[in-house]
Amino acid sequence: DRKSMDSKGVTWKRQRIVLTEDKVLFSKLDQDNGVFDFVNLSEIVECEIKADEENDQQQDNIGIRRNSEWKVPMLEVIIRTTDDGYNGGRSYIYRTEYNDAISWEADIDRAVAKAKARALEDLLHSKYGHSLLSMARAR
């Protein structure tokens, strides 16, 4: 669920999120090909998880108790982008179940590290060409 803020307050909208080799893609759940936004992995400065602020229920080792029912704990996954990138410093906040949030953060962190390493290699290659000595000095 993606967090949105409007004149009515905070709302959560269900969306499909796809992690590729170089982007995080966002689309509406009911559309197969309608990507409406994306974040370049090389422009992500941080991906973190935190407790869902709307869950003010009592926590237990098993889950969250709400109205005498056990619910799976929800966490927020926050993706922050660089100020000078395509997304202009925007933060993307999503809410998902605990295990999924832990997995998302790890997967995004790994993908970001690989994308930034590829971007550095591309930059060095474009600047120094095929000279291994020049590229080694630049590193």
Side-chain angles (χ1 to χ4, degrees):
D1 298 342
R2 182 177 183 186
K3 188 175 192 175
S4 297
M5 297 183 75
D6 56 23
S7 61
K8 298 175 188 174
V10 175
T11 59
W12 293 94
K13 297 178 182 173
R14 301 207 41 92
Q15 292 182 354
R16 177 179 292 128
I17 301 169
V18 177
L19 178 62
T20 69
E21 187 175 280
D22 59 343
K23 290 181 178 77
V24 178
L25 305 172
F26 307 102
S27 69
K28 293 184 179 178
L29 208 54
D30 56 353
Q31 295 178 347
D32 290 334
N33 60 356
V35 173
F36 66 85
D37 200 3
F38 67 91
V39 176
N40 289 313
L41 292 178
S42 60
E43 295 180 1
I44 293 176
V45 294
E46 181 181 32
C47 179
E48 70 170 332
I49 54 176
K50 69 175 198 165
D52 179 13
E53 294 173 357
E54 292 181 12
N55 283 335
D56 57 355
Q57 304 87 355
Q58 293 180 331
Q59 275 198 304
D60 192 282
N61 291 336
I62 300 171
I64 297 173
R65 188 177 181 111
R66 176 185 226 180
N67 300 333
S68 301
E69 296 178 19
W70 288 103
K71 302 284 184 183
V72 176
M74 300 290 277
L75 293 176
E76 291 180 358
V77 178
I78 304 166
I79 301 170
R80 292 190 175 86
T81 62
T82 183
D83 290 336
D84 58 351
Y86 172 81
N87 299 95
R90 285 184 21 198
S91 292
Y92 294 80
I93 304 172
Y94 287 86
R95 178 176 65 180
T96 189
E97 293 181 1
Y98 180 87
N99 290 335
D100 290 338
I102 300 297
S103 178
W104 278 26
E105 181 189 33
D107 291 347
I108 290 172
D109 285 345
R110 268 192 305 275
V112 166
K114 287 180 183 177
K116 288 184 177 184
R118 269 193 315 276
L120 177 61
E121 285 298 316
D122 291 345
L123 176 68
L124 291 175
H125 192 268
S126 69
K127 189 171 183 177
Y128 298 107
H130 295 290
S131 172
L132 295 176
L133 181 60
S134 296
M135 287 199 317
R137 285 183 192 154
R139 289 185 188 162

